[in-house]
Amino acid sequence: VSAGGVAGESALLAALNAARTGQMHDIVATIQAEQDAIIRSEHKSVLVVQGGPGTGKTAVALHRAAFLLYTYRRQLAKSGVLIVGPNSTFLDYIGQVLPSLGETGVLLSTIGDLYPGVRASVEDSLEAGAIKGSLGMIEVLKKAVRDRQEIPTTPIPLVFDTYRLTLDRKTVTRARGRARSSRRPHNLARPIFVSAVVDALADQLASIIGANLVDGGNLLSRDDIDDIRAEMRADRDITAAIDSLWPQLSPQQVLAELFASRERLASAAPELDEDQRALLLRPSATRVFSAADAPLLDELAELLGVDDAAERERVARQWRKQIADAQGALDILTGSAPQDLEDELDPEILMAYDLIDADQLAQRQSRSSHETTAERAAGDRTWTYGHVIVDEAQELSEMAWRMLMRRIPNRWMTLVGDTAQTGDPAGSSSWQRILEPYVANRWKEAELTVNYRTPAEIMEIAHAVLAKIDPHQVPPRSVRESGFTPWVRNVDADGLLEAVHGALAAEDGPGLTAVIVPHDLAAQWAHLRSDSVRVSTVKDVKGLEFDSVLLVEPTAIVAESPRGLNDLYVALTRATQRLGVLHTGELPEALAALVAPARL
């Protein structure tokens, strides 16, 4: 075994050769010089950590989080640190590391779970995910919201206080124009629309009443008109008519109803062809969402706005009550002090009520009952973090970046990833293209060059795949050999599952084995899962590592995605010890160097 002169060789190699348990362990003793320089970087904009498989990107990201939380504790204690991972399995994997480093003030989330109150529970096709992740969805969502600001095709008859009124196309068009010209989000512009409609109906009523008078005058004073407007706002029929034309909307409602209707999709997304729109359709307007929907919900929240006047009044009432309660407590404390004692006290001696007033006491009580910073941040869509760390950052779509950037206006971020491992069709192969719209050239790239995880025997096979993806990218240098030669075996389709059983039975060492399969086999082979065996697609093993990897049908994995070779590269580089490949058809050309074992 050659460690290539790395620091702390014995501790590092012990960690690398130890059996995997499904959770990441603290790796303080194995941090290397190039990693430590990145961890302690004082760059205050976007720091991109580009690193190939096994270079310790995740370890660097987590230790950087701990370093920043310690160094900038006062700043980050209030705003918090957000760590975004590729999937929930990955978050479980790293979940114990920061506590072991002494840090707990961090929110861990996937992009799909970052929108408060929504959990990604369905999975999009690759094609649908690519459409949803593109910036073209911004115009689709804008049009979907504007489509909810309707003009009646025929006049709407209304009866108010026995008088017959009409809400016609001209009145609504004017009201809509006034609301739109405010440039406020939909829900915040709605009061303008409501006022314009009610004003028009009140004027219409005044004209009717005036026309019924013998002298053609008007018995209604300005106060009378104001009373009529107030009554109209509370009138059930008028309210229903207004709601049908400019409803109060939630992001979940708009998105669910958009994807449930061919007509709404055709109107909002005319630039998509019929087949593309069909990919977005769901059978009903049930509010279940995918990971790719979360950025769309976030965009809709911006377009709709939140009319929180009622909530602000509730909070104000609650605060007034807290102050009253605090004042009551101080009054009791003041009244409980014996008068003769107060008379005898030195005037320099201060009582409790001399040191604090009701407002300060209420604030202290409020703070003491608050949730942690991370808990408050998780429930607040408008929360802005002090620092954001993204693992597997190359997988984020353009819409996901918009969502994320709203949460970090200071643009102080650490992004770790490898553009050669981008598997999502909506992901990126260029850091410059993604970051330039947000930070121009104010970002810095640091590269990790040493592969600590993947043994040289496996990386020799993976290098051939990397050359197909990007012949200009330099692969990371492996620091060790495992002593196990990667193997390949061609079997009949009917014997594939039996061959998998045989390969698993041959694994006589401790630790974890990943059976990485195409999507259609993941559910079929779920029965193979155990404490030591995972059956997963490439997407679900991103960022993870295993003692052994059994790669099944690599040609099918490549064919599943426009970035199938990237997925193959990811799958090959998950193992710390052993790699085997089973296939029923032709192998991808990039795996030509694999040889069949003398025996399985």
Side-chain angles (χ1 to χ4, degrees):
V1 176
S2 171
V6 295
E9 178 179 326
S10 59
L12 176 63
L13 294 180
L16 295 174
N17 289 314
R20 268 55 201 165
T21 64
Q23 286 188 327
M24 188 176 184
H25 298 290
D26 178 19
I27 43 73
V28 171
T30 67
I31 288 294
Q32 302 299 299
E34 70 172 5
Q35 296 174 326
D36 191 59
I38 295 170
I39 290 169
R40 299 175 185 275
S41 172
E42 296 186 1
H43 184 65
K44 284 298 184 70
S45 186
V46 179
L47 175 64
V48 175
V49 183
Q50 165 72 34
T55 53
K57 297 185 296 295
T58 298
V60 167
L62 296 177
H63 280 271
R64 179 158 171 76
F67 170 77
L68 294 175
L69 283 163
Y70 177 80
T71 307
Y72 303 96
R73 182 169 300 277
R74 179 174 298 179
Q75 175 183 344
L76 295 179
K78 295 179 180 179
S79 55
V81 172
L82 170 65
I83 297 181
V84 177
N87 51 58
S88 58
T89 305
F90 173 83
L91 296 182
D92 291 341
Y93 175 61
I94 69 172
Q96 298 303 312
V97 175
L98 281 173
S100 75
L101 300 177
E103 299 299 346
T104 57
V106 176
L107 177 65
L108 303 179
S109 180
T110 64
I111 282 291
D113 294 339
L114 195 53
Y115 187 88
V118 172
R119 289 291 176 266
S121 57
V122 295
E123 187 170 350
D124 287 313
S125 66
L126 292 176
E127 297 88 347
I131 294 170
K132 291 180 179 182
S134 70
L135 292 180
M137 285 302 297
I138 299 171
E139 290 303 317
V140 173
L141 298 177
K142 286 181 179 178
K143 185 65 166 60
V145 172
R146 290 174 73 87
D147 283 348
R148 306 304 290 264
Q149 300 163 1
E150 298 186 14
I151 301 294
T153 54
T154 59
I156 300 174
L158 297 168
V159 176
F160 177 77
D161 197 18
T162 73
Y163 291 97
R164 295 185 179 278
L165 306 176
T166 301
L167 188 55
D168 59 18
R169 185 179 184 87
K170 184 177 181 181
T171 298
V172 176
T173 299
R174 286 178 176 173
R176 186 176 73 171
R178 188 181 300 177
R180 285 181 173 178
S181 66
S182 73
R183 299 190 178 277
R184 296 179 184 178
H186 172 91
N187 289 334
L188 301 185
R190 186 177 184 273
I192 299 174
F193 178 81
V194 172
S195 292
V197 169
V198 168
D199 287 349
L201 290 175
D203 290 344
Q204 188 180 145
L205 178 60
S207 297
I208 292 173
I209 293 174
N212 290 337
L213 295 176
V214 175
D215 60 0
N218 196 334
L219 293 177
L220 300 176
S221 67
R222 179 175 295 181
D223 289 342
D224 292 332
I225 295 294
D226 289 342
D227 290 341
I228 288 172
R229 290 192 184 106
E231 291 174 13
M232 284 183 168
R233 289 175 183 273
D235 183 85
R236 182 182 301 175
D237 292 341
I238 292 176
T239 299
I242 290 173
D243 287 345
S244 70
L245 300 171
W246 194 298
Q248 184 87 13
L249 297 170
S250 71
Q252 293 91 323
Q253 177 187 356
V254 173
L255 197 64
E257 293 177 359
L258 174 66
F259 289 158
S261 169
R262 291 182 183 275
E263 293 73 21
R264 290 191 187 278
L265 267 175
S267 176
E271 67 280 4
L272 299 179
D273 61 37
E274 189 172 342
D275 290 340
Q276 289 174 314
R277 292 197 294 268
L279 292 170
L280 304 180
L281 277 173
R282 290 183 181 150
S284 67
T286 53
R287 300 185 186 186
V288 292
F289 300 103
S290 67
D293 289 332
L296 305 186
L297 291 170
D298 203 62
E299 193 75 27
L300 282 168
E302 295 290 311
L303 294 170
L304 294 172
V306 178
D307 186 359
D308 60 353
E311 175 63 14
R312 283 187 282 110
E313 175 57 29
R314 184 194 68 79
V315 171
R317 286 198 306 270
Q318 184 179 12
W319 177 243
R320 289 193 295 269
K321 182 179 184 302
Q322 285 180 291
I323 291 179
D325 291 345
Q327 185 62 59
L330 290 176
D331 290 345
I332 292 172
L333 183 60
T334 303
S336 66
Q339 185 62 44
D340 57 348
L341 179 59
E342 287 193 351
D343 292 339
E344 294 176 5
L345 285 176
D346 188 320
E348 296 298 323
I349 299 177
L350 300 177
M351 302 294 286
Y353 40 80
D354 294 317
L355 299 173
I356 191 170
D357 61 20
D359 187 81
Q360 292 170 318
L361 181 58
Q363 288 184 33
R364 291 188 180 184
Q365 290 173 331
S366 179
R367 283 196 295 269
S368 67
S369 62
H370 276 173
E371 298 169 307
T372 66
T373 297
E375 289 169 337
R376 285 185 286 131
D380 184 352
R381 192 194 71 82
T382 62
W383 189 274
T384 56
Y385 295 87
H387 193 82
V388 169
I389 294 174
V390 186
D391 205 329
E392 302 291 346
Q394 75 279 354
E395 299 298 327
L396 269 60
S397 70
E398 292 174 308
M399 291 300 292
W401 281 112
R402 282 177 65 87
M403 179 186 193
L404 198 60
M405 290 298 181
R406 291 189 188 106
R407 286 154 175 77
I408 186 72
N410 68 7
R411 301 294 191 256
W412 190 21
M413 309 175 74
T414 302
L415 313 178
V416 299
D418 179 13
T419 51
Q421 296 186 61
T422 306
D424 195 316
S428 178
S429 58
S430 168
W431 299 119
Q432 177 71 31
R433 185 175 67 81
I434 282 296
L435 294 175
E436 190 172 34
Y438 301 102
V439 294
N441 294 318
R442 298 186 308 278
W443 62 282
K444 175 183 177 182
E445 181 173 346
E447 188 170 5
L448 294 171
T449 61
V450 180
N451 185 338
Y452 305 100
R453 176 181 67 219
T454 317
E457 297 94 333
I458 295 177
M459 281 308 298
E460 184 178 350
I461 304 300
H463 288 174
V465 179
L466 179 61
K468 294 283 186 181
I469 297 169
D470 183 357
H472 302 294
Q473 187 160 328
V474 178
R477 173 177 57 87
S478 292
V479 299
R480 67 192 181 96
E481 297 173 350
S482 68
F484 298 99
T485 301
W487 57 264
V488 64
R489 182 183 175 193
N490 181 240
V491 298
D492 293 334
D494 293 341
L496 181 60
L497 183 57
E498 181 181 351
V500 170
H501 279 291
L504 292 176
E507 291 288 343
D508 55 0
L512 292 176
T513 297
V515 182
I516 303 178
V517 299
H519 280 78
D520 61 345
L521 291 180
Q524 294 180 37
W525 289 2
H527 63 281
L528 295 175
R529 294 172 182 151
S530 68
D531 290 342
S532 60
V533 176
R534 307 286 191 270
V535 179
S536 304
T537 63
V538 175
K539 180 180 179 181
D540 292 332
V541 297
K542 275 191 174 292
L544 305 182
E545 58 184 35
F546 305 88
D547 297 274
S548 301
V549 165
L550 184 61
L551 180 59
V552 179
E553 298 287 37
T555 300
I557 289 174
V558 171
E560 283 182 333
S561 167
R563 288 180 164 151
L565 281 175
N566 299 57
D567 286 341
L568 180 60
Y569 185 58
V570 171
L572 291 171
T573 55
R574 297 305 95 194
T576 65
Q577 302 292 339
R578 300 171 290 276
L579 170 68
V581 178
L582 290 170
H583 66 108
T584 60
E586 294 294 323
L587 271 181
E589 182 183 349
L591 297 184
L594 277 170
V595 296
R599 62 182 180 84
L600 189 63

